[in-house]
Amino acid sequence: MIRQPTTTDARPPEHEPDGTHVRFRHRRHRTLSGTTAGRPHRAEWADAAKGVCIILVVLWHVVVKDYLQIDWHIGVPVPGLWGTVGEQFLPLRMPLFFTISGVFAANAVQRPWRVVARSRIAGFLYLYAVWLLIHTAILAAVPDFPTDRATSVPGLLEQLTVTPSNLWYLYALALYFTIAKVVRRAPRVLVLAPAATLSAVAAAGLLATPGNRAGLYQNLIFFLAGLYLRPRIERWAPTATGRRLALTSGAYVLALAAMAAAGAQRWFGVWPVVSVVAVAFGITAAARLGRWPALSTRLATLGRSTLPIYVIHMPVLALLHRLLLGPVSGLDQVGQGLLVLSYPIVLTGLVIGASLAIHRGLLAVHARWLFALPEHRRVEAAG
C-alpha cells in the first residue's frame, strides 16, 4: 500500500484562487500563449486538469474522513481497496495542481509589487483567514470528524500563522507568490535547487511538519517549476500523443510499484521524483482528454470553479459525516453490500454539488466577500 509520507491533511486544491476577487479560474478567453478558434485548447486542458485535481481532493477526503470511519461489516476488503486506490493519486493531485498554478502565475509575478501584494498575497491570505474562521466554527459542531481543527485561541493563532489548516493551499499560494516575487531576478537553478531539496527533506521526514506544513514544504518546487517551465509545458501539452500517454502512465505505475515494493516512500528524493513523473502523466492525460470534448468540457468547467469547492467541501462533508455515520454503520450486511462499492463516488458527487449550490446561494445574497478580497476589481487566477 502506498502511503503518504507526510502528515498533511488536505492536499488541495485546490485546485487556485487568485487575485483580489480570488477564484480558482481564469478568463475563458485567456490562453497560455496565443488564441485559437473557440475555447482555447491549452486553457481547456489546464482547466480540465484542475477539475480532475479537485475531484481527487474531495474523493480523498471522502474516503479517509468518512468512508473508512464507517463500521463496515461486509466480509470483503472493499473499503481497504478504496483507501489503496486513493493513495496512488497522492503524488499526482497537489503537485499537478501547484504546477498549473505556477504556469498561470507567470504573468502575475512580473507585475509591480503593489499589485502582487494586494491581488495575490493579500487576496489569498484574506480568503485563508475568513474560511479558517468559518471552518473552525462549523467543525466545532462535529468534534468526531477526523480532520485538523483549532480547539483553542492559541491553536487558531497557530493555524493563522505557522501551521496552516486544511485550507493550506490558500496559505501556500500567498507564500509562494511572495517567494517567487522576491527571487524573480535570481538564477533559476539557485531557486529550484533549494526548493527541490526542501521537498525531499520534508517528504523523507527529516523536518518537523506538524499540521499541514509538509504540503507547504513539498509543493513549492512544483509551483516554481510551473512558473519557470511554462514555455516547455505549453509545448508539451498541445503535442501530447497516445504514445506519450502510454509511456507516462506506465512510468507512473512503475514508479508507484517500485516505491511500494522497496518501502521507499521515506527515502530521500524518492517522493518528489515520483511526483514529477505523476505531473508529466497528468499534463499529458489532461491534454489527451481534448479528444473527448463532452468530458473535457465538463471537467474544464469544474476546473474554473474550484475555489468554492475547495473552501466549502470540508464543512459539508463533516456535516454529512455526522448525518450518515450512524445509519450506514448500522445497516445489515446486505444493505452495506449495496453501498460499499459506490459510496465514495456518490458522496463525492454530492459534496461537490452541494458546495457549488451553496456558492451560488451565497452569491445570490451578495456574500461575494467570502470569495474575494473586497473593494477591488476582480483579478483572474494566477495571472
Side-chain angles (χ1 to χ4, degrees):
M1 180 179 292
I2 308 300
R3 296 211 173 267
Q4 171 72 356
T6 74
T7 57
T8 56
D9 189 19
R11 317 198 82 86
E14 104 162 3
H15 122 13
E16 21 186 301
D18 196 21
T20 313
H21 214 68
V22 185
R23 297 179 181 229
F24 285 21
R25 59 185 301 172
H26 59 282
R27 291 188 183 93
R28 294 188 177 187
H29 64 271
R30 179 170 62 84
T31 66
L32 300 185
S33 65
T35 303
T36 58
R39 189 177 297 282
H41 173 71
R42 281 167 288 185
E44 188 88 357
W45 74 257
D47 282 331
K50 291 192 296 179
V52 172
C53 287
I54 198 64
I55 290 171
L56 292 176
V57 167
V58 178
L59 176 62
W60 177 246
H61 291 159
V62 164
V63 169
V64 299
K65 299 178 186 300
D66 178 73
Y67 183 68
L68 295 180
Q69 308 304 316
I70 293 172
D71 179 19
W72 297 101
H73 41 271
I74 56 174
V76 292
V78 175
L81 177 62
W82 265 111
T84 300
V85 169
E87 287 173 340
Q88 311 316 305
F89 293 104
L90 292 177
L92 168 70
R93 191 178 65 234
M94 294 315 295
L96 178 58
F97 223 151
F98 277 111
T99 299
I100 295 173
S101 298
V103 168
F104 287 123
N107 291 336
V109 169
Q110 301 304 319
R111 294 170 185 166
W113 258 111
R114 60 181 177 79
V115 176
V116 175
R118 177 174 175 85
S119 67
R120 268 62 182 181
I121 300 169
F124 286 122
L125 290 177
Y126 166 81
L127 281 182
Y128 176 71
V130 166
W131 283 97
L132 176 61
L133 295 175
I134 293 172
H135 278 212
T136 301
I138 295 177
L139 292 175
V142 195
D144 295 330
F145 185 65
T147 196
D148 287 348
R149 89 277 304 285
T151 57
S152 64
V153 172
L156 181 60
L157 292 175
E158 181 180 6
Q159 288 192 338
L160 278 169
T161 54
V162 296
T163 306
S165 72
N166 292 318
L167 296 160
W168 69 275
Y169 181 71
L170 300 173
Y171 182 101
L173 284 180
L175 178 62
Y176 294 174
F177 263 101
T178 303
I179 294 172
K181 186 65 175 172
V182 168
V183 303
R184 71 190 185 283
R185 299 187 189 281
R188 292 181 175 181
V189 66
L190 297 183
V191 177
L192 293 175
T197 301
L198 177 63
S199 181
V201 167
L206 303 177
L207 185 66
T209 54
N212 288 284
R213 284 192 213 168
L216 201 64
Y217 298 154
Q218 287 177 234
N219 288 288
L220 172 61
I221 181 60
F222 295 101
F223 179 84
L224 293 173
L227 182 71
Y228 292 154
L229 301 179
R230 171 177 171 168
R232 296 186 181 183
I233 294 172
E234 288 177 340
R235 291 192 296 268
W236 172 278
T239 60
T241 63
R243 180 173 180 271
R244 187 188 300 169
L245 178 61
L247 290 173
T248 55
S249 61
Y252 185 30
V253 171
L254 288 175
L256 289 172
M259 184 170 64
Q265 294 92 333
R266 291 279 187 171
W267 291 7
F268 185 85
V270 169
W271 191 266
V273 169
V274 173
S275 294
V276 169
V277 175
V279 169
F281 159 67
I283 293 173
T284 303
R288 293 293 292 175
L289 279 175
R291 292 167 56 88
W292 297 278
L295 176 59
S296 64
T297 299
R298 286 177 171 80
L299 288 173
T301 299
L302 191 66
R304 288 186 287 269
S305 303
T306 48
L307 172 60
I309 299 171
Y310 181 71
V311 297
I312 296 173
H313 83 274
M314 191 68 75
V316 169
L317 178 58
L319 295 175
L320 287 173
H321 174 76
R322 181 174 183 176
L323 178 67
L324 296 173
L325 178 63
V328 176
S329 295
L331 290 175
D332 59 21
Q333 190 171 12
V334 174
Q336 286 197 342
L338 295 174
L339 288 177
V340 67
L341 190 59
S342 61
Y343 182 96
I345 298 173
V346 173
L347 189 57
T348 295
L350 178 61
V351 169
I352 291 174
S355 299
L356 292 173
I358 291 170
H359 174 242
R360 288 192 295 270
L362 290 171
L363 294 182
V365 297
H366 307 291
R368 294 182 180 274
W369 59 272
L370 288 172
F371 305 97
L373 187 62
E375 298 180 2
H376 198 71
R377 69 181 183 86
R378 186 174 70 184
V379 181
E380 296 303 334

